[in-house]
Amino acid sequence: MINPSKESAEAVQQWGDTTSSERVFAPLDCWGIRRGRPHLVDALHPAAEDIALALSNLYLRESLRQQSIRDILTGLFNRRYMLESLERALSRAQREKIPVGLIMFDIDNFKDFNDVYGHDGGDALLHQLGNFLLKKTRGGDIVCRYGGEEFVIVLPGASLENTRIRAEEIRKGVKDLLVYHLGKPMRKCTLSLGVTAFPEWGTTSESLIKSADTALYSAKNEGRDRVVAADNSIV
């Protein structure tokens, strides 16, 4: 039986030798489903060629999937994937009564940076910032290029205070980030960051993003290169 989202199939009845069969799997992992007819693999029907083709198709599918959910320049997730992941994280958080932190930040005076070093220099900075964020975040974190020089990080299980601490670590780390362009180091950059958390400052993806965005603009208005957490006046 294939679930309504068509993301997984589950065996509801089995017979014969089932020792090598998975009970839950992605539909396209099944060669019978892919071909639309029964597919037999046993000693009388060697299937090495079919398996090789199936693996090749799976690798291609994963490659295309990664291209569809990641930003090419930074290697981070794109905005659409982040929004989908945030919805899933909030659904789980509601069920399990756990927090979800969110950081929204951008590069201070990025236009001036582009004016000095050109767009190639700006791209080099964005690329290195992406590498830095991937190294400094956990596997379960959702790190996204939200658009232009703006970024969002979703932290499942993180309270507002833990999220603020993580944001401060990122702010300090980026200040020491040295990026080279055309063989020469460019000037260092700073970040302005706004942080918020579910459920205190928003219970939907829209309200959380708005809360973080408002905190971000407060950080910029207060002089940039700082972290501002959501509070009652902001929300």
Side-chain angles (χ1 to χ4, degrees):
M1 297 294 292
I2 299 176
N3 69 2
S5 70
K6 302 191 184 306
E7 293 181 352
S8 66
E10 181 177 1
V12 295
Q13 184 59 268
Q14 295 175 297
W15 58 91
D17 181 10
T18 62
T19 56
S20 61
S21 298
E22 297 287 344
R23 290 198 64 87
V24 180
F25 52 89
L28 292 184
D29 288 348
C30 173
W31 199 241
I33 293 176
R34 291 170 70 92
R35 301 177 71 185
R37 62 184 185 183
H39 182 68
L40 178 63
V41 178
D42 61 16
L44 299 178
H45 301 81
E49 183 177 349
D50 287 344
I51 293 172
L53 180 59
L55 290 174
S56 177
N57 287 338
L58 289 172
Y59 286 134
L60 176 60
R61 187 180 69 181
E62 179 59 21
S63 175
L64 293 173
R65 177 178 176 275
Q66 288 297 321
Q67 292 177 32
S68 71
I69 65 175
R70 290 194 180 271
D71 173 65
I72 296 175
L73 179 60
T74 62
L76 306 177
F77 291 121
N78 59 31
R79 180 173 182 164
R80 184 184 69 179
Y81 181 82
M82 183 277 296
L83 291 172
E84 293 173 353
S85 299
L86 178 56
E87 290 286 350
R88 290 194 295 268
L90 292 178
S91 295
R92 179 188 174 193
Q94 289 173 343
R95 292 194 309 270
E96 301 181 6
K97 308 299 182 184
I98 59 175
V100 176
L102 189 143
I103 307 172
M104 177 177 282
F105 61 94
D106 67 14
I107 302 171
D108 293 329
N109 301 311
F110 186 68
K111 182 181 181 302
D112 294 342
F113 199 95
N114 273 338
D115 291 342
V116 173
Y117 299 103
H119 288 287
D120 287 347
D123 285 350
L125 174 60
L126 291 170
H127 178 72
Q128 286 299 106
L129 179 58
N131 288 339
F132 169 84
L133 293 171
L134 289 173
K135 292 176 181 178
K136 295 298 181 180
T137 50
R138 305 169 302 181
D141 299 338
I142 301 146
V143 191
C144 151
R145 184 184 180 190
Y146 196 65
E149 70 274 20
E150 197 166 41
F151 300 81
V152 168
I153 304 177
V154 179
L155 306 172
S159 66
L160 181 66
E161 178 59 16
N162 288 337
T163 304
R164 187 196 64 76
I165 292 171
R166 295 285 300 282
E168 188 64 29
E169 291 172 350
I170 291 171
R171 186 190 69 83
K172 291 179 179 177
V174 168
K175 291 186 73 170
D176 295 329
L177 188 64
L178 190 59
V179 180
Y180 285 82
H181 178 56
L182 299 177
K184 297 180 180 179
M186 296 187 289
R187 78 183 189 203
K188 295 181 180 180
C189 70
T190 61
L191 305 179
S192 296
L193 307 94
V195 303
T196 190
F198 165 92
E200 295 92 339
W201 313 116
T203 57
T204 66
S205 57
E206 293 82 3
S207 60
L208 277 176
I209 289 172
K210 182 179 179 181
S211 173
D213 187 55
T214 304
L216 166 60
Y217 275 94
S218 294
K220 299 182 82 66
N221 291 334
E222 291 176 15
R224 299 186 173 89
D225 186 22
R226 65 193 64 221
V227 176
V228 171
D231 58 29
N232 287 324
S233 63
I234 287 176
V235 177

